[in-house]
Amino acid sequence: HLAQALEALELDALGRDVQDLAAEVLERERLLRLVAEADAEIERFGVDAAGDADTSARRAGGSKSGSSDDGTGEALAREALALAERSGDLRSEHFAHHFLADCPLIRGDCAAALPRYRRALELAVELGDRSETAVEMQGVAMALAGCGHPARALRLGGAAAAEFEALAIDLSGIIFWSALLERYLGRARAELAEDAATAAWEEGRRTRFEHAIALALDARGPGAEPDM
């Protein structure tokens, strides 16, 4: 009888292990689906916003039309973040923070976007993913530009551009991201004299990537010391 009881306990434990594993697989699938849906939704929002800005720029005296931001992408990203943190999925957590930074940046709220990109940058560094690290550095650069720090923005933008070249990665096909870079880094260039803008960009390109990461992680928005 004791042997039978022990066997029953072992089978019960095995059954629970299988159930736990199945639950983990389902949760993982749900998390990946959330990340993909958030990515698609935020890209749609970004493309729509870029189109609105382009249309507005072509209208003499016309008002900017509203983009299709209904908060869906941000809600999906928040759900993905909660699930990623609960399951310990560092890469999905990184993507969720990146998406949560994209939303305010697209809306023009750079002060809100900046700490979110910094957090996404921290996670990209922890993952050891240099391409994602460069992406988040671009995010920090754009947020800095929108917070009134054009020289710092262009230095980080130059550092990120140099890293992408070293990795032989071209992100120009990502329409909404390219539009955001032009919107914010273009603004940064316009706010400086041409030679100063070029000098800041080239200084960033010469900066060691690890040092540029440290500068990006230390970046602060409104109220920070003026650019030097």
Side-chain angles (χ1 to χ4, degrees):
H1 294 296
L2 179 58
Q4 290 177 339
L6 290 173
E7 184 178 358
L9 286 173
E10 289 174 357
L11 288 173
D12 182 58
L14 178 61
R16 288 199 302 273
D17 288 343
V18 170
Q19 289 177 344
D20 290 344
L21 179 59
E24 287 179 13
V25 170
L26 288 173
E27 189 168 85
R28 173 65 177 164
E29 289 178 349
R30 178 174 166 233
L31 175 56
L32 292 175
R33 186 171 62 254
L34 281 170
V35 168
E37 289 175 355
D39 188 13
E41 184 65 26
I42 291 168
E43 182 169 357
R44 180 190 63 79
F45 171 33
V47 169
D48 287 351
D52 290 342
D54 184 56
T55 299
S56 180
R58 291 198 303 267
R59 291 175 180 164
S63 61
K64 179 177 177 181
S65 58
S67 63
S68 57
D69 176 23
D70 58 4
T72 302
E74 192 157 0
L76 288 167
R78 289 191 182 283
E79 188 176 353
L81 177 60
L83 189 54
E85 289 176 338
R86 187 165 69 244
S87 62
D89 186 331
L90 195 64
R91 184 165 293 276
S92 294
E93 183 182 348
H94 156 254
F95 283 131
H97 278 289
H98 175 85
F99 298 150
L100 287 170
D102 284 347
C103 291
L105 187 77
I106 293 168
R107 290 194 297 266
D109 187 355
C110 295
L114 181 56
R116 297 179 183 185
Y117 280 125
R118 282 204 314 266
R119 179 56 182 149
L121 176 59
E122 289 174 345
L123 293 172
V125 171
E126 189 172 346
L127 286 165
D129 190 323
R130 292 182 75 88
S131 63
E132 289 296 335
T133 297
V135 168
E136 306 310 344
M137 187 177 291
Q138 287 183 325
V140 171
M142 289 188 284
L144 279 174
C147 289
H149 300 290
R152 293 178 191 180
L154 290 173
R155 290 187 196 105
L156 290 180
E163 181 65 13
F164 280 129
E165 287 179 16
L167 296 172
I169 293 175
D170 180 6
L171 299 183
S172 61
I174 304 177
I175 296 172
F176 93 96
W177 193 249
S178 296
L180 285 171
L181 287 168
E182 179 58 33
R183 172 182 170 187
Y184 286 106
L185 297 188
R187 176 194 299 179
R189 291 187 184 94
E191 290 178 358
L192 297 173
E194 184 176 352
D195 57 346
T198 299
W201 185 265
E202 292 304 319
E203 181 183 340
R205 289 181 58 84
R206 293 191 301 270
T207 301
R208 283 191 313 109
F209 192 56
E210 288 70 20
H211 181 57
I213 291 170
L215 293 175
L217 290 174
D218 193 46
R220 296 297 181 268
E225 293 182 5
D227 279 356
M228 299 297 292

